[in-house]
């Protein structure tokens, strides 16, 4: 994973810096007899506490027993100045500066790093060249900033990877919802039509074989359209025509014995708006055939300013209208995507009205 590689790289660089400063401490500073063991303990304490703090920081966490580990690193950094000659904190202070910037708010961390610079300058000013004083003083903020930048780089990389994974999951979920919605909206009408025409053909097969054969032929055509719908859903392409959908709705309703009147406004409309209205016609007709006792149905569109309104009304609403199903929920989503809204409710005259408004 990207974040794991970045964490290993940043951790390796921080360890390299820590080792480099340790080597500098061993080569540059000269301690008298009896100080070898003490200096080794001091160096080990600095590196250990720094490692614990940085390992947690690279994971976006605080080390166990924080802020005790931060205090221990500060003690391990500055206590040798009072026990050993040579100002050892000059080589360990940059690591402490990085820890402060990582775990404290930048305002407080920056202020403490500034105080550390002043301290190192004052300690090294006696008995050291100006160049040495400037080098170790400037090294405190620059190394601290480098460590902070490395840790932030790792955390940003981890956050980006997590965001990318969440976006991928969201895209998968969105595609699943699209397929579910399109299958429900698209196949619902086709399967209803197949069932109606099959039932009608079975009733006509003995009384009127010619009409039965006609119905069977139309049933086969509807089945082919349903198969085509499934292929289009799988490809993610569902271009629909409002006029074509209304024509199919009229033919299906009339073949079911329902009188239909369609009045469509002659106006051009955005593709998304037209598809939303076409889906609304399909869902409305499916619900009329499945859930109503309608004898008449009207399909009308009108334009009012920048809004295009579709109304599908019938006179056979069920006595108790249930909650909106998945089809009406899908229509509401499509209408919202087209900059509009969707409402569906019984009328006061025993009918039912589906109204969809979209941007014209």
């Amino acid at each position: 994973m990207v974040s794991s590689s970045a964490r290993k790289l940043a951790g390796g660089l921080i360890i390299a810096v820590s080792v480099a400063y340790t080597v500098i401490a061993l080569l540059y500073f000269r301690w008298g007899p009896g100080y070898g063991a003490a200096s080794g303990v001091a160096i080990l304490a600095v590196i250990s506490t720094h490692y614990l703090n940085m390992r947690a920081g690279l994971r976006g966490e605080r080390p166990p027993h924080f802020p005790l580990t931060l205090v221990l690193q500060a003690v391990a950094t500055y206590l040798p100045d009072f026990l050993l000659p040579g100002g050892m904190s000059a080589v360990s202070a940059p690591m402490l500066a990085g820890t402060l910037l990582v775990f404290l708010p930048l305002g407080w961390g920056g202020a403490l790093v500034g105080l550390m610079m002043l301290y190192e300058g004052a300690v090294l000013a006696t008995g050291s060249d100006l160049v040495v004083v400037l080098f170790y003083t400037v090294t405190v903020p620059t190394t601290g900033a480098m460590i902070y930048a490395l840790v932030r780089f790792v955390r940003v990389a981890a956050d980006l990877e997590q965001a990318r994974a969440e976006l991928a999951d969201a895209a998968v979920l969105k595609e699943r919802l699209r397929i579910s919605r399109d299958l429900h909206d698209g196949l619902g009408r086709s399967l209803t039509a197949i069932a109606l025409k099959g039932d009608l053909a079975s009733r006509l097969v003995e009384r009127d074989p010619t009409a039965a054969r006609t119905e069977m032929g139309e049933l086969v055509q509807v089945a082919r359209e349903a198969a085509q719908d499934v292929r289009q859903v799988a490809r993610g392409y569902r271009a629909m025509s409002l006029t074509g959908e209304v024509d199919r709705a009229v033919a299906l309703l009339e073949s079911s014995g329902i009188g239909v009147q369609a009045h469509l406004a002659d106006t051009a409309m955005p593709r998304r708006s037209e598809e939303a209205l076409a889906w609304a016609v399909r869902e409305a007709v499916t619900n009329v055939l499945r859930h109503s006792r309608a004898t008449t149905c009207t399909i009308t569109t009108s334009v009012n300013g920048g809004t295009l309104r579709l109304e599908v009304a019938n006179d056979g609403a069920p006595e108790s209208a249930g909650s909106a199903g998945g089809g009406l929920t899908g229509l509401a989503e499509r209408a919202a995507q087209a900059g509009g809204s969707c409402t569906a409710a019984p009328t006061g005259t025993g009918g039912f009205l589906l109204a969809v408004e979209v941007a014209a």
Side-chain angles (χ1 to χ4, degrees):
M1 297 174 65
V2 175
S3 61
S4 178
S5 300
R7 187 166 59 245
K8 291 179 180 179
L9 175 60
L13 291 174
I14 292 174
I15 291 174
V17 170
S18 302
V19 172
Y21 279 118
T22 302
V23 172
I24 292 174
L26 294 174
L27 296 179
Y28 182 79
F29 293 93
R30 299 292 188 265
W31 294 299
Y35 290 117
S39 62
V41 171
I43 292 172
L44 180 61
V46 170
I47 294 179
S48 299
T49 54
H50 184 62
Y51 172 76
L52 291 175
N53 288 324
M54 288 300 99
R55 185 179 64 174
L58 290 171
R59 297 179 180 276
E61 306 169 351
R62 287 189 171 183
H65 311 297
F66 182 87
L68 179 60
T69 52
L70 181 59
V71 174
L72 289 176
Q73 184 176 352
V75 172
T77 298
Y78 288 109
L79 183 60
D81 280 357
F82 303 96
L83 302 178
L84 299 173
M88 181 181 169
S89 64
V91 293
S92 54
M95 292 182 280
L96 176 61
T99 303
L100 293 174
L101 293 175
V102 168
F103 290 105
L104 297 182
L106 282 181
W108 286 99
L112 291 176
V113 170
L115 292 176
M116 292 167 61
M117 293 174 61
L118 295 176
Y119 172 82
E120 298 302 333
V123 170
L124 297 175
T126 58
S128 299
D129 296 335
L130 179 60
V131 174
V132 174
V133 175
L134 292 177
F135 173 79
Y136 282 108
T137 301
V138 173
T139 298
V140 172
T142 54
T143 304
M146 182 272 292
I147 293 175
Y148 171 79
L150 285 175
V151 173
R152 288 298 303 158
F153 163 72
V154 172
R155 297 314 313 153
V156 169
D159 291 342
L160 289 176
E161 185 173 331
Q162 181 179 359
R164 182 169 57 186
E166 292 175 352
L167 288 174
D169 291 341
V172 171
L173 177 60
K174 182 178 180 181
E175 183 65 8
R176 287 176 178 173
L177 291 175
R178 181 194 68 80
I179 292 175
S180 174
R181 183 182 62 188
D182 286 1
L183 286 176
H184 176 279
D185 296 348
L187 290 182
R189 179 193 65 85
S190 299
L191 295 178
T192 300
I194 290 172
L196 289 172
K197 289 187 175 296
D199 182 61
L200 181 59
S202 66
R203 294 199 304 267
L204 293 174
V205 67
E206 294 182 358
R207 186 173 68 251
D208 190 347
T210 301
R213 284 193 295 271
T214 300
E215 293 297 331
M216 291 298 295
E218 292 181 358
L219 186 152
V220 172
Q221 180 61 33
V222 173
R224 289 173 177 169
E225 292 178 358
Q228 181 65 21
D229 288 343
V230 172
R231 288 192 291 269
Q232 289 179 346
V233 169
R235 292 197 300 266
Y237 179 72
R238 296 294 301 157
M240 297 179 65
S241 165
L242 176 60
T243 302
E245 198 60 40
V246 170
D247 291 340
R248 284 190 288 271
V250 170
L252 180 59
L253 289 171
E254 288 181 343
S255 68
S256 302
I258 301 175
V260 187
Q261 293 183 352
H263 306 283
L264 302 183
D266 185 12
T267 181
M269 65 189 76
R271 177 172 173 269
R272 176 170 289 184
S273 296
E274 181 174 9
E275 288 191 352
L277 296 186
W279 280 113
V281 171
R282 176 172 292 195
E283 175 65 19
V285 171
T286 301
N287 288 339
V288 169
L289 295 173
R290 285 181 175 176
H291 307 302
S292 77
R293 302 180 302 275
T295 58
T296 61
C297 181
T298 60
I299 303 173
T300 60
T301 60
S302 59
V303 180
N304 183 12
T307 301
L308 182 63
R309 180 180 176 87
L310 166 73
E311 292 185 354
V312 181
N314 71 83
D315 63 350
E319 295 181 359
S320 59
S323 59
L328 294 179
T329 301
L331 289 185
E333 294 174 354
R334 295 180 193 276
Q337 292 173 358
S341 60
C342 172
T343 59
T347 63
T349 58
F352 194 88
L353 174 64
L354 170 70
V356 179
E357 293 185 348
V358 294

